[in-house]
Amino acid sequence: MKNLSIGFIGLGLIGGSIAKSIRRVFPSFNIIAYNRSESARTEAKNDGTANIVCDKIDNTFSVCDYIFLCTPVEYNVEYLRTLKSIIKPTCIITDVGSTKTNIHEAVISENMEANFIGGHPMAGSEKTGYSNSTAYLIENAFYAVTPTSKTNETSLNELTMLIDKIGGIPVILDYKEHDYSVAAISHVPHIIAASLVNMVKDSDSPSETMKLLAAGGFKDITRIASSSPEMWQQICSANSHNISNLLSDYISSLKKIKAAVDENDTSYVYNVFSKSREYRTSFSDISSGPIPPTFTLYCDIIDESGAISTVASILAANGLSIKNIGIVHNREFEDGVLKIVFYDKAALDKAAELLQKQNYNVKM
């Protein structure tokens, strides 16, 4: 690709990670960045990610070929309007927001369709801020790209090529289809997970028996309930129509299942699980999402002194770092008594190979 000038409005986790990815792959690109807090600006300048950092949005950004809006969704529209009078005619503004309708409607209202292509990297972390950004955050993650009715094909191809080069997997979508899809596979599941956790909390005994006995099945389907409440408050507001419609569908489905349970309709209940199992097993587990995947191994060990340290020593001797390790106290939905979590899939695969060679029964 030719040398480009890339602007960033916001250097949080996503903005910082994309900027670092571009610097890693295209060291000669000119990167100009604005961020409200001075600390992120200083860090981006000092670590070599940004060539120029700004404490305000001004004509410095007029040289940019692309500008990434990487602030919360409610601020992106404001910054879009500020940039309107600054950018050159060929500049493309893109964003990284998890909802697209609001920004696209603003683009249409401001007559900026020729200068905008929406974006949404399906990656993230429970951590925030530039200090937690990484040049590999969007590696092998789907990256939704939502062009407008006036998007130039050359610019679209160049942006998707840029996303591909820094490790993302570009998927071109209509912005309305994007918002309906993420409402179903991300927004509604977060609401369900949060409500399920709250139901258990409210139903638990004073001695917290449910919390004590919570096994992997419960923890897995509610892990996303640990996400930022501020962020999800904003998302539910921005994508309320789609979320509301899909929640109505889900509530209707739950009522049918409840009726089948009440009436002991075993055939209906079986079909619910059979249908979901067939569809779920067709999913690919390669791509990442806003909540990173866990790289977990389950291992059967003998209940004796030093059993855990023996396993840990085998892994450490081969240079494998363990993120977390512990005994599973409820194995109803788990495949081993010892649960080990690693930082990446390469370590997970290597650990499984090593332990199997030592005759441990291992499941992933």
Side-chain angles (χ1 to χ4, degrees):
M1 295 182 70
K2 64 181 180 180
N3 274 344
L4 298 172
S5 288
I6 311 289
F8 284 87
I9 309 299
L11 285 173
L13 176 73
I14 301 297
S17 294
I18 295 175
K20 288 179 178 179
S21 297
I22 291 174
R23 175 60 70 218
R24 172 177 61 86
V25 179
F26 301 103
S28 63
F29 277 19
N30 181 38
I31 295 180
I32 303 168
Y34 160 80
N35 195 75
R36 286 192 299 174
S37 71
E38 182 180 358
S39 59
R41 298 197 303 265
T42 301
E43 193 174 348
K45 179 68 174 176
N46 290 344
D47 68 15
T49 297
N51 301 93
I52 301 170
V53 294
C54 307
D55 60 3
K56 61 181 178 180
I57 301 172
D58 56 22
N59 284 332
T60 308
F61 288 88
S62 64
V63 301
C64 291
D65 299 292
Y66 291 88
I67 297 176
F68 286 78
L69 294 177
C70 304
T71 65
V73 290
E74 69 268 26
Y75 297 122
N76 279 342
V77 171
E78 177 185 339
Y79 290 126
L80 178 79
R81 290 170 179 149
T82 301
L83 289 166
K84 181 179 180 179
S85 61
I86 295 174
I87 62 173
K88 62 184 180 181
T90 57
C91 177
I92 295 296
I93 298 173
T94 185
D95 75 319
V96 298
S98 58
T99 58
K100 306 262 63 84
T101 299
N102 282 6
I103 190 77
H104 272 271
E105 288 178 347
V107 165
I108 294 169
S109 175
E110 295 292 328
N111 194 27
M112 296 180 67
E113 287 182 278
N115 296 102
F116 183 81
I117 303 173
H120 176 204
M122 306 291 285
S125 169
E126 69 278 7
K127 298 179 180 179
T128 60
Y130 184 82
S131 60
N132 291 302
S133 62
T134 164
Y136 297 93
L137 184 70
I138 66 169
E139 190 85 17
N140 293 318
F142 286 121
Y143 196 123
V145 179
T146 58
T148 73
S149 61
K150 298 180 181 178
T151 293
N152 180 285
E153 185 175 350
T154 300
S155 296
L156 178 60
N157 290 339
E158 189 173 64
L159 179 59
T160 55
M161 184 184 300
L162 174 64
I163 292 167
D164 177 73
K165 292 292 185 182
I166 63 174
I169 304 171
V171 180
I172 299 174
L173 296 170
D174 173 80
Y175 72 89
K176 292 181 180 178
E177 180 184 6
H178 168 274
D179 281 7
Y180 185 72
S181 297
V182 296
I185 56 92
S186 177
H187 304 168
V188 168
H190 274 80
I191 293 171
I192 293 169
S195 64
L196 180 57
V197 169
N198 288 335
M199 182 203 74
V200 170
K201 177 180 180 294
D202 295 340
S203 304
D204 208 352
S205 64
S207 59
E208 296 188 324
T209 303
M210 293 181 185
K211 182 178 180 180
L212 175 67
L213 299 179
F218 179 79
K219 292 177 181 177
D220 286 345
I221 65 174
T222 59
R223 183 163 58 98
I224 54 177
S226 299
S227 300
S228 163
E230 293 83 7
M231 179 181 73
W232 283 100
Q233 178 189 47
Q234 295 163 9
I235 288 173
C236 286
S237 176
N239 203 19
S240 59
H241 178 72
N242 287 319
I243 291 172
S244 179
N245 286 342
L246 286 162
L247 277 174
S248 292
D249 293 342
Y250 183 66
I251 290 168
S252 176
S253 172
L254 283 179
K255 287 180 177 178
K256 291 177 182 177
I257 296 170
K258 181 182 182 303
V261 172
D262 289 342
E263 297 165 9
N264 198 28
D265 186 346
T266 55
S267 177
Y268 186 92
V269 172
Y270 176 87
N271 286 333
V272 167
F273 286 101
S274 176
K275 183 179 177 182
S276 66
R277 178 185 180 184
E278 181 180 356
Y279 184 57
R280 178 61 182 86
T281 53
S282 71
F283 287 13
S284 169
D285 289 325
I286 296 174
S287 62
S288 63
I291 301 294
T294 56
F295 305 100
T296 304
L297 175 150
Y298 296 92
C299 176
D300 281 331
I301 58 172
I302 299 172
D303 184 15
E304 62 181 22
S305 178
I308 296 178
S309 62
T310 299
V311 172
S313 296
I314 293 171
L315 301 177
N318 287 275
L320 296 178
S321 297
I322 297 172
K323 185 176 183 180
N324 203 351
I325 186 169
I327 296 292
V328 179
H329 292 287
N330 184 330
R331 298 181 61 191
E332 185 179 3
F333 299 101
E334 308 285 33
D335 292 314
V337 67
L338 185 64
K339 179 178 180 180
I340 312 171
V341 182
F342 298 90
Y343 287 94
D344 54 47
K345 191 172 188 303
L348 172 66
D349 292 340
K350 181 64 175 177
E353 178 185 352
L354 289 169
L355 293 174
Q356 285 169 344
K357 285 183 178 178
Q358 297 292 327
N359 297 318
Y360 285 95
N361 182 27
V362 171
K363 295 286 182 66
M364 293 188 291

